[in-house]
Amino acid sequence: MQLLHLDSSVLGAASVSRQLSAEIVARHQTLHPGIRVVVRDLAADPALHLSSAHMAAFHGAPTDDATITADLLKGNAYMDELVASDILVIGAPMYNLSIPTPLKAWIDRIAVAGTTFRYTATGPEGLLKNKKAFIASARGGVYSAGSPAAALEHQESYLIGLLAFLGVVDVTVVRAEGLATGPQAKDAAISRAFADIAAISA
């Protein structure tokens, strides 16, 4: 069994999403002794954003640009890691109502028609079957359903929709929100999230 652990926060040790994702991984290591964990720190080592050079290479054009070649190989590794993994843990803070750009760059490399999804006569079909995903969500404000700002939430909803598009429908969100509303609120949100993680079962 393999678990792919992605982090995307730029805050390092101060990141709540990193704390949560690490705890989720530790929980799975307890539940599945011997599980192989593959780690990708997307903030520390991000892929380039897609360019015309990438698109040309995707369509078979040769490239002599060493930077683009290395980045294409990184994208191939992203895909191989995802396809080989049974569990996906995504550390995803909210940045400006959405996800960090390094996480979007990762998505742009693994959302590939014919590999992770395909178009059919009845619509798109996800090809990543029988995988579980856990989203470690952290955000400064409160955007959960029923809150005044819920309509501005394009972080968790985007990831859930994207994963479903790729065929990953077993998705658990572990959320700590309201982190910027005061120290007590932050501590309480993190405590609730850790309790949710402790309740994760095999």
Side-chain angles (χ1 to χ4, degrees):
M1 179 177 284
Q2 178 168 299
L3 181 152
L4 176 58
H5 178 190
L6 305 175
D7 273 319
S8 59
S9 170
V10 300
L11 297 181
S15 163
V16 172
S17 69
R18 286 177 181 268
Q19 294 176 44
L20 300 184
S21 69
E23 190 70 10
I24 294 169
V25 172
R27 176 62 177 161
H28 282 291
Q29 289 174 315
T30 298
L31 293 170
H32 309 286
I35 189 171
R36 180 170 186 259
V37 177
V38 176
V39 179
R40 279 284 178 180
D41 189 332
L42 302 176
D45 183 25
L48 299 175
H49 292 291
L50 293 181
S51 66
S52 58
H54 287 89
M55 300 309 291
F58 293 157
H59 288 87
T63 178
D64 56 3
D65 185 320
T67 299
I68 294 295
T69 298
D71 196 62
L72 291 168
L73 292 173
K74 180 182 291 184
N76 292 342
Y78 285 174
M79 182 70 80
D80 291 343
E81 292 163 357
L82 174 62
V83 171
S85 295
D86 307 285
I87 300 172
L88 177 62
V89 177
I90 305 174
M94 175 185 274
Y95 287 179
N96 296 316
L97 309 180
S98 188
I99 61 173
T101 56
L103 181 52
K104 180 58 167 64
W106 178 84
I107 289 169
D108 286 342
R109 301 310 177 83
I110 58 86
V112 177
T115 303
T116 53
F117 73 94
R118 64 183 176 188
Y119 293 109
T120 73
T122 56
E125 176 190 359
L127 300 178
L128 298 180
K129 308 293 188 183
N130 303 315
K131 298 182 187 294
K132 291 184 177 182
F134 294 81
I135 298 170
S137 169
R139 45 208 196 192
V142 177
Y143 298 89
S144 51
S147 70
L152 300 175
E153 191 278 303
H154 306 292
Q155 168 218 14
E156 293 174 9
S157 57
Y158 170 71
L159 290 172
I160 292 168
L162 182 279
L163 289 167
F165 184 82
L166 301 180
V168 182
V169 296
D170 188 346
V171 180
T172 300
V173 176
V174 176
R175 177 187 307 118
E177 66 177 353
L179 300 175
T181 61
Q184 289 183 330
K186 179 178 180 179
D187 290 345
I190 294 172
S191 293
R192 286 192 297 270
F194 271 65
D196 291 340
I197 294 169
I200 292 172
S201 63

